[in-house]
Amino acid sequence: MFQRPEYVCYRAARPIVIDGHLDDPAWQGAPAIALCLADTGEAPRQSTTCRLLWDDDYLYVAFDCQDSDIWGVTTERDRDIYNQEVVELFVDDDCDDHSYIEIEVSPLNAVLDLYMLNRGGVRRGLWDWDSRGLRTAVVVDGDPTRRGTDDRRWTVEMAVPMADFMTAPHLPPRAGDVWHANLYRIDRANMGDEYSAWSPPGVIDYHTPQRFGRLVFSETTV
């Protein structure tokens, strides 16, 4: 029987500087998540580590992606960047398993933000929804504009405004509040695509809110 994994999200002692460098001391105090393959749960060829924090104003997310061939094309907002390389955050703040926020970021810091409705086999993304005040930054150790270069890794920071989570039980969250969430990565490589997840859905389909993990808010400060 499936049991949702749980992540205890600590409070940041001060606002995180969103510059793509994961050198803020608070990140060192946040538990690390290693993503696994979405369909099998096994370790991917190229590892991804994630961390989350929060304060009254933002939910903070960090991704650290090992990548020997970093690739991106699109720089505009709200394009189909999921056909390139991306990291993704999905959040179902009222745990209804039907409506959730989706935010994707590419190695070129292109952003796709959607509000998703998903029920009874009908799935609809509201492309005109925007996370107003969303801040993202990416640092790339390599060249994402050319395939086959000697690349190493890319890191991403997101600060998602708490005001986006309109259906949450409390804003800002209170200690012990639970949201459902998942973290994903799509890697495109010559040896084949890899789809990674924190809570693997068991299939190559990230839109499985019944398989999201539990994000538990804590007043522990780091």
Side-chain angles (χ1 to χ4, degrees), residues 157-208:
E157 285 182 308
M158 304 182 191
V160 186
M162 284 293 176
D164 285 349
F165 304 110
M166 297 296 292
T167 61
H170 307 106
L171 283 181
R174 298 177 184 173
D177 279 359
V178 176
W179 298 356
H180 289 169
N182 219 339
L183 301 158
Y184 304 111
R185 176 185 173 190
I186 300 175
D187 180 68
R188 310 288 186 185
N190 289 333
M191 67 280 289
D193 297 341
E194 282 193 320
Y195 297 82
S196 302
W198 166 38
S199 181
V203 293
I204 305 300
D205 183 357
Y206 288 167
H207 291 275
T208 52

Side-chain angles (χ1 to χ4, degrees), residues 45-47 65-71 85 140-144 146-154 185 187-192 194:
R45 291 186 303 269
Q46 305 210 97
S47 65
C65 306
Q66 177 189 351
D67 198 335
S68 60
D69 190 8
I70 305 168
W71 178 60
E85 293 193 328
V140 177
D141 185 4
D143 183 356
R146 292 189 299 155
R147 302 308 311 253
T149 53
D150 185 19
D151 302 328
R152 288 154 293 280
R153 71 187 331 103
W154 53 294
R185 176 185 173 190
D187 180 68
R188 310 288 186 185
N190 289 333
M191 67 280 289
E194 282 193 320

Side-chain angles (χ1 to χ4, degrees), residues 3 17-18 23 29 35 60 68 80 112 118 151 159-160 186 205:
Q3 186 172 11
V17 176
I18 304 301
D23 54 2
L35 302 192
Y60 300 103
S68 60
D80 56 351
L112 171 61
N118 185 349
D151 302 328
V160 186
I186 300 175
D205 183 357

Side-chain angles (χ1 to χ4, degrees), residues 43-201:
R45 291 186 303 269
Q46 305 210 97
S47 65
T48 310
T49 303
C50 307
R51 291 176 167 85
L52 297 95
L53 294 166
W54 72 284
D55 61 21
D56 286 355
D57 299 314
Y58 293 99
L59 177 66
Y60 300 103
V61 189
F63 290 84
D64 187 349
C65 306
Q66 177 189 351
D67 198 335
S68 60
D69 190 8
I70 305 168
W71 178 60
V73 176
T74 302
T75 57
E76 301 87 358
R77 188 163 181 161
D78 286 344
R79 304 295 184 184
D80 56 351
I81 57 174
Y82 44 79
N83 290 318
Q84 301 163 43
E85 293 193 328
V86 291
V87 295
E88 305 185 10
L89 167 72
F90 286 28
V91 180
D92 175 7
D93 52 32
D94 65 354
C95 304
D96 69 353
D97 288 343
H98 303 305
S99 57
Y100 47 94
I101 286 171
E102 173 181 354
I103 296 175
E104 303 182 13
V105 180
S106 80
L108 297 180
N109 201 26
V111 171
L112 171 61
D113 49 355
L114 304 171
Y115 195 85
M116 294 297 305
L117 303 174
N118 185 349
R119 187 166 190 166
V122 178
R123 184 185 303 171
R124 181 183 178 192
L126 306 183
W127 286 67
D128 57 350
W129 179 86
D130 282 324
S131 174
R132 296 178 181 177
L134 172 69
R135 292 186 289 141
T136 66
V138 178
V139 171
V140 177
D141 185 4
D143 183 356
T145 64
R146 292 189 299 155
R147 302 308 311 253
T149 53
D150 185 19
D151 302 328
R152 288 154 293 280
R153 71 187 331 103
W154 53 294
T155 55
V156 181
E157 285 182 308
M158 304 182 191
V160 186
M162 284 293 176
D164 285 349
F165 304 110
M166 297 296 292
T167 61
H170 307 106
L171 283 181
R174 298 177 184 173
D177 279 359
V178 176
W179 298 356
H180 289 169
N182 219 339
L183 301 158
Y184 304 111
R185 176 185 173 190
I186 300 175
D187 180 68
R188 310 288 186 185
N190 289 333
M191 67 280 289
D193 297 341
E194 282 193 320
Y195 297 82
S196 302
W198 166 38
S199 181

Side-chain angles (χ1 to χ4, degrees), residues 20-35:
H21 294 281
L22 309 185
D23 54 2
D24 192 296
W27 287 128
Q28 305 309 309
I33 298 170
L35 302 192

